[in-house]
Amino acid sequence: MRNLIRRLARRRDEPCPAPPAPYPTRLRPWHIRERAFNVRRRGLDPVEIRAFLHQVADELTVAQTALVAVQEENVRIKSALRAWQSAQSADRRYR
């Protein structure tokens, strides 16, 4: 009740507190693991939330690792294609 009265009594020209920082543009596993939620009187079970966040972070780690592997394979295939195209164009010049 005191907090409510203090907020209501606060002067209008007083600046409001800054909003929480937005999520990063690229979510990383440690962002999920370190995310904290406000605990309310009748809120959710913090242990269950933490376990879920760790599960999501693990799946995100697997997905990002697979993405890096696919990107590396893409670069390898493009390089092989360029080499093959160069070899084919060189063969045609000598015919």
Side-chain angles (χ1 to χ4, degrees):
M1 187 69 171
R2 289 181 189 165
N3 289 338
L4 178 61
I5 294 171
R6 285 182 189 148
R7 276 191 273 157
L8 292 174
R10 185 172 57 191
R11 293 178 30 200
R12 291 184 185 259
D13 59 340
E14 185 177 320
C16 293
Y23 289 107
T25 56
R26 182 156 181 154
L27 194 60
R28 297 290 186 180
W30 61 85
H31 291 136
I32 296 170
R33 284 190 179 98
E34 293 175 359
R35 176 73 169 105
F37 296 93
N38 294 329
V39 178
R40 301 286 182 204
R41 184 174 178 186
R42 293 185 178 159
L44 300 173
D45 181 15
V47 174
E48 186 178 355
I49 292 173
R50 183 65 49 197
F52 175 75
L53 291 177
H54 280 288
Q55 180 183 358
V56 170
D58 292 340
E59 290 181 20
L60 183 60
T61 301
V62 169
Q64 288 179 349
T65 303
L67 177 63
V68 168
V70 167
Q71 288 172 338
E72 290 171 354
E73 179 73 5
N74 189 20
V75 168
R76 187 191 66 76
I77 290 171
K78 283 182 178 181
S79 297
L81 178 61
R82 283 189 200 106
W84 181 82
Q85 287 173 335
S86 297
Q88 292 300 314
S89 71
D91 287 346
R92 286 188 180 173
R93 281 187 221 151
Y94 295 115
R95 285 185 185 182

